[in-house]
Structure formats: structure tokens, C-alpha cells
Amino acid sequence: GAGVSQSPSNKVTEKGKDVELRCDPISGHTALYWYRQSLGQGLEFLIYFQGNSAPDKSGLPSDRFSAERTGGSVSTLTIQRTQQEDSAVYLCASRGLAGEETQYFGPGTRLLVL
Amino acid sequence: AQSVAQPEDQVNVAEGNPLTVKCTYSVSGNPYLFWYVQYPNRGLQFLLKYITGDNLVKGSYGFEAEFNKSQTSFHLKKPSALVSDSALYFCAVRDAGFSSGSARQLTFGSGTQLTVLP
């Protein structure tokens, strides 16, 4: 597609439930990032995928968070047993070939945990 | 470690006046620097970047930024502000030196809310 897309755009869930957030990167982009933007905060790095390499999970805040990227394209971020502090906007970004430094962001998924 | 500071949470400017949004950074090596803009309920839109070369970088919508290595700054500027420029602006940095397989993730500042008054 023309840009990074994410779904759903909004998600309201109850504490303790699991949620899945989806990201479709720009076609042909090999690198994919997940960030979290909490109210009034900057962006916090969560996880990074590059091609077929093992993902860099160093930013995941707890073992309730996981992500996968199937076929080197679409990625799913899963949050298990959601907590109220997980409420945030989850942003996905993709980046092109090596040497291209710019990350292009999707519109985000706004998650609210009640 | 890499970090970014945006010292102003809020900047107000009258339409037609020049605007500046400040950013300072810290990296161990050479920096790659970026500015993004976020409109309400939207994702981040790329404005401009400094990788190497000319210290004055021109970007989208008439914005520009000047890389100042001695002051470790990368302030965003526009000669004449528009009401439509009102948005949240983020500065981001990455250390240019990286090892194969490293994430090359960006570190973002906390954002500056720009309001352009008619």
C-alpha cells in the first residue's frame, strides 16, 4: 500500500483480556518497529524486526507483550492479560532498504484498558 | 546511550511570525537527527532529517532545521508560521554507529505542542 496501516484504530478492552494489534508496513520495507506513546509522553521503543533475523525485543516492558511478523510483512503485537497501564497509542513504523534511515509511521492503535 | 531533550512543552506564535522549536541531543558517536509532526489522532509524519552534509536541512511544508554539532542542537524553524502548522512536534535521534543486527531504533523527545494563533 501507499503507507503503513494499522488496525484497529481504536480498541477498548477490559483488564485481564488479551488484545492483538496489527500492522501492515509499506510494501518492500524490510524493517518494522513497534513503539508505544503514552499520554503526554514521547515514543517508547518496543520491538524491531529486520528481514528474517531474530527480532530485537529489548524494549518490551514485560513478558505479557509479544510480537510476530509473518512472511516478512504483516506484524501482530499481542498484549496478554492487559492492565490499565497498558493504555496508550501503539505505533508501528517501517523502514526501507539499508541506507534508508527514515522510519514511516502508521496512524496508530489507541488502546484503552478499563 | 542516546537521548533527546525538547525543553519547551508548549510554543505559541502568531501567524506570519517565524517559529522555532528547540531540540538538543546526546549520542556517543555521530547523530542521525529527525523531526516528525503529529496531528490530533494521527500517526507521526516525517518532516526532515540530518544524516550528513550541509548543516541546514530543508524539509516538508517550508520547515528547516540546523544541525549544530558544538551545541548538540537541531532546532526546527519556519520563517512564517501558518495556523495549520499547529500540531505536536517530535525530535528524534539515532547514533550513526551501529553493529550489524542492532535495532537502529530512534529515541524521541517528549514533544512540543506548537500553537499558531491567527
Side-chain angles (χ1 to χ4, degrees):
Chain A
V4 179
S5 60
Q6 293 185 245
S7 61
S9 53
N10 291 280
K11 176 72 176 179
V12 181
T13 190
E14 295 178 346
K15 177 182 174 182
K17 296 289 181 67
D18 298 350
V19 296
E20 285 189 353
L21 313 179
R22 177 186 168 104
C23 172
D24 280 276
I26 293 173
S27 178
H29 277 194
T30 57
L32 186 149
Y33 299 77
W34 284 98
Y35 293 86
R36 178 168 69 175
Q37 183 180 20
S38 301
L39 185 64
Q41 303 292 318
L43 275 72
E44 172 190 13
F45 165 73
L46 297 178
I47 189 169
Y48 161 73
F49 296 90
Q50 172 64 59
N52 295 320
S53 302
D56 182 330
K57 305 178 182 180
S58 60
L60 294 179
S62 78
D63 59 7
R64 297 186 294 104
F65 288 72
S66 63
E68 62 178 20
R69 188 179 185 191
T70 54
S73 181
V74 172
S75 177
T76 302
L77 176 69
T78 301
I79 308 173
Q80 296 178 310
R81 304 181 304 281
T82 52
Q83 304 293 313
Q84 288 182 332
E85 61 262 28
D86 299 334
S87 297
V89 177
Y90 290 83
L91 292 163
C92 175
S94 70
R95 177 173 55 79
L97 298 174
E100 165 55 67
E101 294 296 334
T102 303
Q103 295 180 24
Y104 295 92
F105 284 80
T109 293
R110 188 175 301 273
L111 175 66
L112 177 62
V113 182
L114 301 177
Chain B
Q2 53 194 38
S3 65
V4 175
Q6 292 182 243
E8 300 158 317
D9 293 335
Q10 175 81 40
V11 170
N12 295 327
V13 64
E15 186 173 30
N17 283 0
L19 69 86
T20 299
V21 182
K22 295 179 181 178
C23 171
T24 58
Y25 66 90
S26 175
V27 294
S28 56
N30 291 318
Y32 290 162
L33 293 154
F34 302 81
W35 275 101
Y36 287 85
V37 60
Q38 186 177 38
Y39 295 97
N41 300 314
R42 304 278 295 276
L44 272 69
Q45 296 180 30
F46 169 72
L47 277 180
L48 52 80
K49 65 184 176 187
Y50 171 83
I51 302 297
T52 187
D54 195 345
N55 289 345
L56 183 63
V57 178
K58 294 186 182 297
S60 306
Y61 313 119
F63 284 94
E64 59 187 30
E66 185 165 12
F67 170 60
N68 187 317
K69 188 171 183 178
S70 63
Q71 297 185 5
T72 62
S73 67
F74 191 57
H75 302 330
L76 181 70
K77 299 184 179 183
K78 186 173 182 180
S80 179
L82 300 173
V83 172
S84 58
D85 293 330
S86 299
L88 186 58
Y89 290 80
F90 288 98
C91 181
V93 70
R94 182 176 83 71
D95 193 319
F98 62 92
S99 59
S100 175
S102 68
R104 299 162 65 179
Q105 74 266 26
L106 299 176
T107 296
F108 286 83
S110 55
T112 298
Q113 180 66 48
L114 172 67
T115 300
V116 181
L117 305 168

